Amino acid sequence: MVALTPETDPTPDAVAGGPRQRRKLTGYWLILPTAVWLGLFFVVPFYSLLATSLFDPDGSVLTGYDVTYHFANFGHALSEYWQPMVRSLWYAALATAFCLVLGYVLAYAIAFRAGRWKNLMLVLVVAPFFTSFLIRTLSWKLILGDNGWVVDALQTVHILGSDNRLLATPIAVVAGLTYNFLPFMVLPLYASLEKIDGRLIEAASDLYASPSRAFFKVTWPLSLPGVVGGTLLTFIPATGDFINASLLGSPNQRMVGNVIQDLFTTTGDYARAGALSVILMLIILVLVLFYIRKAGTEELL
Amino acid sequence: MSSVADAPAGGRDLCLTGLRKEYPNGFVAVQSLDLEIPRGSFFALLGPSGCGKTTTLRMVAGLETVTAGSITIGDQDITHEKPYRRPVNTVFQNYALFPHLSISENVAFGMRRRGVKDVKGPVADILELTELTEQANKRPAQLSGGQQQRVALARALINRPEVLLLDEPLGALDLKLRRAMQLELKRIQTEVGLTFVHVTHDQEEAMTMADTIAVMNAGVIEQLGSPTELYENPATTFVANFLGQSNLIGGSVVGVEGGADGQVKVDMEGTVVSIPVERAHTANTVGTKGWVGVRPEKVLIAPAGEPIDAPGNHMTGAVIVDSSFIGVSTQYVVRMPWGREMLAFEQNTGARGVLAPGTKVDVSWRPEFAFLLDSSQDIDAGLGEA
Ligand SMILES: Nc1ncnc2c1ncn2[C@@H]1O[C@H](COP(=O)(O)OP(=O)(O)OP(=O)(O)O)[C@@H](O)[C@H]1O
Ligand SMILES: [Mg+2]
């Protein structure tokens, strides 16, 4: 969310009118576009989502829908779809963890070791965005396909049995999520690693810290803002993602995003779909707040 | 970390032999350094900006690879030792304090890395010594420049390294605090008996603090010695001009009288002056060209014809062209008969008033205060760089 606070004056001042007064108003004028934008595209849809989640579950396209404050929608949605919900959180957590490991190594290499290749490597990180998300996930379907070279190779070295497959397994879905959200991890990590003064690492080694100690005592803590930013940017969209599960998985890997999509488009059960969306949002909100608290980023950011 | 643990308490001598640094871009920052720094001494590396002081320190700390030569502490060769294994700590020119740690954690960093369990006592002591007790729980960003500098000092000192490298540690302080910290540093050094290698481009700082000064210029050591030695008997024009001021006058050797403690006779623009042999840094064969040097405060002047209390090198026919009274002394610019100007500083003892410009004067100095430098050196070397 955008947190734009108008410039507040530390000294409460009785002088009315004049330039001071005008300066105060400028702050409000500046947030006006953002406020209008947020009102149109956040508050209104959010209100309509909340309303939908409280629809009468017996309504239909023909009979129309009424907001009946039917809170039981939440209970029903949860009891029926808790499995995809938990699965979503789990897959997203796994993908975030993999992204963090891969992304950290990559961002570290770009920030400290790439030399004059730095810019090229950054462009390469962003390059996948030039093709559509959908196309990229479809190509993963080809790569991990039953007759693809990955499965063939794994079968040859007997990591996969001859009738085992990658597609339609949790592995494929988590791999897809990891791949698709990796740039969201790399960029914030790079931004905060890049800012670290190399002389601090030198100071650490001058003060008896071996390279690994210097990393955990200096580099890692100083990169925490990037870690927090990256994990949030990865975890939140990954939890709600439905493309990876529908293209790379099977009904057994259904995530909550797939369920919501089905309920809205196929079943037409708006009430339950809305309730599920609100629940997902609340869970993420609570997790994120808890996480930020824990990581103590107020001080770091 | 063995080297840290077995270091004998008293410390050992630091030796740099043929040390050279060539940066990857081909720039040679340090030519070939030979230095022997006795343990427990306060050693100053003095030189103008860009002469390679920081590079030298970084090689000793292990933060820069050595192109050629070796670094030893006692009989332990640390030329290629990892920085975290060297019994050496650095106070960085830019402090390099850890922004995410409190002041006390910054100071405790080295001890914790060496596995010392109880750091509370030593940290409190060193914070007390550097007058930072009040700041213990703050972050570096919340301190003033001078306070940050003291944290950097405390963070290195607490480890009692055999050699403490200080890279212009007082550079950011105002004059008053700077003087106070100079005394404090010197006191700490005497108290703990560690070897301090102090880098500075402030000659006054080097002279007040150091036992030994090495004057460095363009990657080479110009001269090494005690502050008085360097000042009284500079060996190169760079040292003569960089450390204080000097009058340098061209001349050529006409003969040598006596043996090792004899006098070199130099014809200086028609006047023959004598210079003790141990102060003549030239070949001393007849005909050798050289620069006769004398410090301005050693030059005595008197109105023409009046006696001057200095036996020896005596010249007549000079004229005062400028005199400036600055309280403790008067600084005269005197035009010599051969056209060049000389500086003469006269203590304001009250024996005589200020001589006005235009006054004809005689000039003299005691032979034992003059020195003779190689004429192949640039007469203006080191001017305006201090
Ligand atoms: N990484 C590098 N690559 C190439 N040249 C360098 C590098 N670091 C320093 N130099 C050059 O080496 C020379 C010596 O640098 P150094 O930092 O040792 O100077 P210094 O004596 O400490 O000067 P100052 O008093 O300004 O700190 C300078 O001319 C500098 O430009
Ligand atoms: Mg320097």
Side-chain angles (χ1 to χ4, degrees):
Chain A
M1 234 172 285
V2 184
L4 241 184
T5 40
E7 181 191 285
T8 45
D9 227 325
T11 48
D13 189 332
V15 186
R20 186 170 289 264
Q21 189 70 28
R22 220 173 305 139
R23 261 238 314 280
K24 268 187 185 164
L25 282 180
T26 320
Y28 291 103
W29 281 111
L30 285 174
I31 57 169
L32 189 66
T34 320
V36 170
W37 183 271
L38 273 180
L40 273 179
F41 297 105
F42 178 72
V43 178
V44 173
F46 183 69
Y47 169 77
S48 103
L49 175 66
L50 265 185
T52 310
S53 71
L54 296 171
F55 275 173
D56 173 9
D58 297 326
S60 74
V61 186
L62 297 177
T63 58
Y65 297 93
D66 297 311
V67 179
T68 55
Y69 295 98
H70 195 83
F71 284 100
N73 284 341
F74 290 95
H76 289 152
L78 208 54
S79 65
E80 206 168 330
Y81 299 114
W82 66 270
Q83 272 180 313
M85 180 70 82
V86 170
R87 194 181 291 128
S88 285
L89 295 171
W90 172 235
Y91 283 3
L94 277 178
T96 307
F98 289 131
C99 277
L100 183 59
V101 174
L102 294 174
Y104 205 100
V105 175
L106 186 56
Y108 188 93
I110 297 176
F112 295 124
R113 299 274 183 269
R116 59 205 181 91
W117 302 106
K118 200 180 256 185
N119 289 334
L120 178 70
M121 289 184 74
L122 279 176
V123 169
L124 288 181
V125 168
V126 188
F129 287 129
F130 297 151
T131 8
S132 128
F133 188 80
L134 219 52
I135 306 270
R136 282 181 283 135
T137 315
L138 277 170
S139 5
W140 269 80
K141 192 169 179 164
L142 287 180
I143 295 171
L144 300 180
D146 296 340
N147 300 316
W149 59 272
V150 177
V151 170
D152 277 351
L154 289 177
Q155 281 174 346
T156 317
V157 296
H158 295 287
I159 288 177
L160 274 185
S162 55
D163 47 356
N164 286 1
R165 49 195 310 227
L166 280 179
L167 226 47
T169 62
I171 297 177
V173 179
V174 173
L177 286 171
T178 306
Y179 162 74
N180 276 310
F181 292 105
L182 191 56
F184 294 101
M185 183 65 91
V186 174
L187 294 178
L189 278 178
Y190 169 78
S192 64
L193 282 170
E194 161 84 317
K195 270 195 301 199
I196 297 178
D197 187 345
R199 292 174 293 197
L200 293 178
I201 317 293
E202 287 184 346
S205 73
D206 187 64
L207 291 164
Y208 314 109
S210 61
S212 63
R213 295 274 209 105
F215 175 80
F216 286 111
K217 293 294 172 190
V218 180
T219 314
W220 172 258
L222 288 176
S223 67
L224 274 185
V227 172
V228 171
T231 45
L232 290 181
L233 279 180
T234 310
F235 182 78
I236 297 172
T239 315
D241 182 79
F242 61 93
I243 298 209
N244 285 284
S246 69
L247 294 183
L248 304 173
S250 70
N252 289 334
Q253 281 84 45
R254 240 154 65 108
M255 291 171 68
V256 72
N258 303 83
V259 175
I260 294 173
Q261 191 211 13
D262 281 349
L263 288 177
F264 263 118
T265 57
T266 320
T267 327
D269 192 345
Y270 288 6
R272 210 158 286 182
L276 209 50
S277 300
V278 172
I279 293 171
L280 178 63
M281 207 161 79
L282 286 178
I283 290 179
I284 291 180
L285 198 67
V286 169
L287 283 179
V288 165
L289 286 181
F290 185 72
Y291 177 61
I292 291 183
R293 244 288 147 68
K294 210 68 205 161
T297 40
E298 296 94 337
E299 227 171 295
L300 288 168
L301 288 176
Chain B
M1 245 156 274
S2 56
S3 59
V4 177
D6 340 318
R12 299 164 288 177
D13 299 350
L14 171 67
C15 241
L16 314 183
T17 321
L19 202 61
R20 178 184 171 84
K21 176 66 192 181
E22 185 174 339
Y23 279 111
N25 64 2
F27 183 80
V28 180
V30 175
Q31 301 279 0
S32 174
L33 225 60
D34 289 294
L35 281 182
E36 200 164 319
I37 301 171
R39 66 181 166 152
S41 64
F42 199 120
F43 188 91
L45 205 51
L46 176 69
S49 184
C51 71
K53 305 181 298 287
T54 298
T55 308
T56 308
L57 279 203
R58 286 174 58 82
M59 284 193 284
V60 177
L63 301 172
E64 207 73 71
T65 55
V66 171
T67 311
S70 71
I71 304 168
T72 53
I73 290 188
D75 46 13
Q76 183 191 0
D77 187 337
I78 59 163
T79 316
H80 303 291
E81 190 71 283
K82 296 268 186 293
Y84 56 94
R85 290 187 201 277
R86 299 186 186 209
V88 166
N89 283 125
T90 311
V91 178
F92 290 89
Q93 195 165 10
N94 56 319
Y95 325 142
L97 301 179
F98 303 119
H100 59 296
L101 299 179
S102 69
I103 299 312
S104 52
E105 277 307 310
N106 260 286
V107 172
F109 194 92
M111 293 198 104
R112 289 204 195 283
R113 299 293 84 73
R114 282 188 299 163
V116 177
K117 288 282 173 313
D118 187 31
V119 298
K120 266 214 172 110
V123 168
D125 289 348
I126 203 85
L127 288 180
E128 176 90 50
L129 184 73
T130 46
E131 293 171 24
L132 287 165
T133 312
E134 264 135 61
Q135 326 294 341
N137 296 317
K138 291 190 184 166
R139 295 285 167 102
Q142 296 167 300
L143 300 191
S144 74
Q147 289 169 333
Q148 292 185 21
Q149 210 143 32
R150 279 181 278 152
V151 177
L153 189 62
R155 187 178 70 171
L157 259 185
I158 194 174
N159 302 302
R160 303 260 158 152
E162 280 189 73
V163 178
L164 185 69
L165 307 173
L166 303 113
D167 196 351
E168 309 214 11
L170 309 180
L173 305 184
D174 61 44
L175 199 65
K176 191 158 162 276
L177 195 52
R178 205 179 157 103
R179 293 281 172 263
M181 283 299 286
Q182 284 173 2
L183 294 178
E184 186 71 349
L185 258 185
K186 183 71 193 164
R187 189 180 65 71
I188 292 171
Q189 193 265 340
T190 330
E191 201 169 283
V192 298
L194 304 175
T195 311
F196 276 35
V197 181
H198 183 103
V199 157
T200 177
H201 57 241
D202 178 347
Q203 43 154 314
E204 213 169 303
E205 184 172 302
M207 293 214 269
T208 46
M209 297 171 82
D211 309 323
T212 311
I213 300 178
V215 179
M216 195 169 177
N217 182 33
V220 294
I221 298 286
E222 292 264 339
Q223 195 179 353
L224 183 92
S226 71
T228 26
E229 254 171 70
L230 289 190
Y231 187 80
E232 300 298 351
N233 188 8
T236 67
T237 55
F238 180 86
V239 177
N241 290 325
F242 187 74
L243 219 62
Q245 287 171 289
S246 294
N247 293 301
L248 295 177
I249 305 140
S252 64
V253 176
V254 292
V256 183
E257 278 175 13
D261 50 357
Q263 304 274 325
V264 182
K265 297 282 178 193
V266 181
D267 176 3
M268 193 187 80
E269 313 282 348
T271 313
V272 173
V273 296
S274 44
I275 294 158
V277 166
E278 78 272 9
R279 298 171 67 85
H281 307 278
T282 53
N284 297 348
T285 50
V286 175
T288 310
K289 295 234 175 299
W291 301 115
V292 176
V294 60
R295 296 289 188 184
E297 73 277 8
K298 304 286 174 11
V299 179
L300 304 177
I301 57 173
E306 283 184 24
I308 303 183
D309 169 35
N313 308 323
H314 191 93
M315 275 144 286
T316 53
V319 181
I320 292 180
V321 291
D322 187 44
S323 61
S324 38
F325 177 73
I326 57 164
V328 295
S329 65
T330 309
Q331 309 197 342
Y332 293 103
V333 181
V334 179
R335 170 153 310 117
M336 300 307 287
W338 55 85
R340 278 196 69 127
E341 286 169 354
M342 279 184 76
L343 285 173
F345 299 166
E346 190 174 77
Q347 271 276 302
N348 187 17
T349 53
R352 181 178 61 211
V354 177
L355 296 172
T359 316
K360 287 204 172 0
V361 288
D362 292 346
V363 175
S364 171
W365 60 81
R366 289 173 171 271
E368 62 265 36
F369 292 145
F371 47 89
L372 186 64
L373 304 176
D374 195 332
S375 68
S376 65
Q377 293 169 0
D378 179 8
I379 186 173
D380 292 328
L383 276 182
E385 291 193 73

